[in-house]
Amino acid sequence: MLAYKWCICAFVALLSTFSPIIMITAAGARSLIQDDNKIVSQTIVVDPSGRGDFRTIQAAIDSIPSQNQRWICVDIKEGRYKEKVTIARDKPYIYLQGKGIDNTVIQWNDHGSIDTSATFTSQADYTIATGIKFVNSFNSPPNGNRNPLERAVAALIAGDKSAFYQCGFFGIQDTLWDVKGRHYFKSCTIEGAVDFIFGAGQSLYESCMISVAAGILKGTPGYITAQGRENPHDTSGFVFKDCKIAGNGKAYLGRAWREYARVVFYNTLMSDIVVPQGWYAWNGAGKEDQLTMSEYNCRGLGSESSERVEWEKKLSEGEMKQLTSISFIDEEGWMNQASRILGRSKLP
């Protein structure tokens, strides 16, 4: 009974920290917890000491049947897992539960092609991860400061309806490839120097730490984002809400990877590592009127707007509200499933 009451309390407490989750009554919470088969049908334990079901994360994922339609939790114990991990397109409904980014680390050391260098690749829909650090260490010490840097992806996220909570993504160039699909990142840390959040995902980054490591570039500014929206009907875009930008060196908020790139910083604390111009047109040069690079209600030394590029988009309060709402990534209620998964878990 005590364990049951603890679950109820943990469930309700977690909901208060996970903003897109709709609060429910205690009776509703009790109903969800009692009906575990509709939440997580199986838990697979990964422990490098050999006291779990598998020693490696990939072995655990490989054991999950193709076209699985029930949520399966992969409970990853503390450890530094030196392996590449891939969730194939035909393996949806996987929840990776780590023990905190200081305790559960997936690390690899690859570079070159953004298609093949990722430490972690998720091609499947309905992927959730909590409390895991994903690292591509290729460009980082002790390997030395390479010039030029190589593309070295820490995580490639290409499935739809995926959420990452209290995770870390660490690299230098092309750290997080937010390829496509609707994604939610909550209380995550993303670190890098060049285009370290890039792709054409339709994603909301909420209460995240954007950690700039541009000091490695020796005086050359880095780029936080490189967004790939291709046409005015493309729904993709990166929205940063209630985030913090800090680190070392100097960096642009982003540059346009494609001609209709869309990146928004809302209510974000920016340190003076942000260059005064803010944005770089890059592949959108000459077509700046098509770009949606925008800031709203930001603060800190890096948010000073007097020297921003003249083509920075000025969005209305209504437009900004629409982009920063959870409905930007979820008009169908798929985040309710994420809330149910998180609600029954003991997060770090």
Side-chain angles (χ1 to χ4, degrees):
M1 179 62 70
L2 289 176
Y4 176 79
K5 289 182 178 178
W6 179 90
C7 288
I8 293 289
C9 293
F11 180 77
V12 174
L14 181 63
L15 289 181
S16 67
T17 67
F18 195 59
S19 63
I21 299 172
I22 299 174
M23 291 298 293
I24 60 176
T25 65
R30 192 174 300 115
S31 174
L32 292 179
I33 293 171
Q34 288 175 334
D35 197 0
D36 272 353
N37 287 333
K38 291 185 178 179
I39 304 175
V40 171
S41 64
Q42 179 184 359
T43 297
I44 302 170
V45 177
V46 179
D47 190 330
S49 71
R51 289 175 288 187
D53 300 303
F54 297 94
R55 290 178 180 269
T56 69
I57 301 166
Q58 191 61 56
I61 291 170
D62 290 344
S63 73
I64 297 172
S66 178
Q67 308 303 334
N68 166 63
Q69 294 299 310
R70 288 289 188 91
W71 281 102
I72 293 178
C73 175
V74 180
D75 183 13
I76 308 171
K77 300 304 182 183
E78 295 184 3
R80 184 171 293 271
Y81 296 83
K82 294 185 177 180
E83 58 175 308
K84 275 194 172 188
V85 175
T86 298
I87 300 178
R89 191 178 304 278
D90 63 348
K91 295 198 175 185
Y93 299 103
I94 292 178
Y95 168 35
L96 303 176
Q97 180 180 248
K99 305 306 175 189
I101 65 173
D102 293 327
N103 302 311
T104 301
V105 181
I106 305 174
Q107 179 175 329
W108 198 247
N109 183 342
D110 202 352
H111 68 286
S113 170
I114 56 175
D115 292 316
T116 60
S117 65
T119 300
F120 173 73
T121 297
S122 177
Q123 298 283 0
D125 297 345
Y126 295 106
T127 297
I128 296 176
T130 60
I132 301 172
K133 180 188 286 187
F134 305 96
V135 180
N136 190 322
S137 59
F138 181 78
N139 287 309
S140 303
N143 295 324
N145 298 346
R146 294 177 169 82
N147 189 16
L149 297 171
E150 296 279 358
R151 295 174 296 179
V153 179
L156 183 166
I157 314 300
D160 194 20
K161 303 175 184 177
S162 297
F164 295 81
Y165 187 75
Q166 294 180 351
C167 287
F169 304 86
F170 287 77
I172 297 295
Q173 180 164 345
D174 296 351
T175 302
L176 173 56
W177 188 7
D178 192 347
V179 184
K180 63 180 180 178
R182 291 162 291 178
H183 306 145
Y184 181 69
F185 299 86
K186 172 72 179 224
S187 301
C188 292
T189 297
I190 306 108
E191 181 173 282
V194 179
D195 301 342
F196 61 95
I197 304 172
F198 75 107
Q202 183 175 336
S203 300
L204 178 60
Y205 295 80
E206 186 169 6
S207 302
C208 290
M209 168 61 75
I210 311 304
S211 177
V212 176
I216 197 173
L217 304 178
K218 300 179 180 179
T220 301
Y223 303 90
I224 295 172
T225 64
Q227 209 277 328
R229 186 167 174 254
E230 296 186 328
N231 62 71
H233 306 292
D234 186 340
T235 59
S236 74
F238 298 160
V239 176
F240 297 87
K241 179 180 181 181
D242 301 330
C243 292
K244 181 178 180 180
I245 300 173
N248 59 74
K250 294 289 185 178
Y252 289 85
L253 293 171
R255 56 179 177 174
W257 189 18
R258 298 289 186 262
E259 295 180 356
Y260 285 84
R262 178 164 59 178
V263 180
V264 170
F265 285 90
Y266 173 82
N267 197 33
T268 290
L269 178 62
M270 302 180 177
S271 77
D272 63 359
I273 63 96
V274 177
V275 299
Q277 304 94 315
W279 307 93
Y280 183 61
W282 198 23
N283 294 327
K287 300 178 181 178
E288 287 88 350
D289 62 318
Q290 299 176 169
L291 304 176
T292 303
M293 307 295 212
S294 186
E295 303 161 66
Y296 191 92
N297 198 36
C298 294
R299 61 198 187 281
L301 294 175
S303 68
E304 170 57 45
S305 60
S306 61
E307 297 183 53
R308 285 291 195 262
V309 293
E310 61 181 14
W311 48 264
E312 181 182 58
K313 190 77 74 178
K314 304 301 182 184
L315 297 177
S316 69
E317 183 178 354
E319 290 172 318
M320 192 62 66
K321 184 176 181 180
Q322 183 178 19
L323 287 170
T324 57
S325 167
I326 196 65
S327 62
F328 174 63
I329 60 168
D330 182 17
E331 292 184 339
E332 306 158 294
W334 68 268
M335 286 295 296
N336 289 335
Q337 292 199 25
S339 73
R340 293 174 68 187
I341 295 297
L342 296 173
R344 71 180 301 277
S345 304
K346 184 180 179 181
L347 292 180

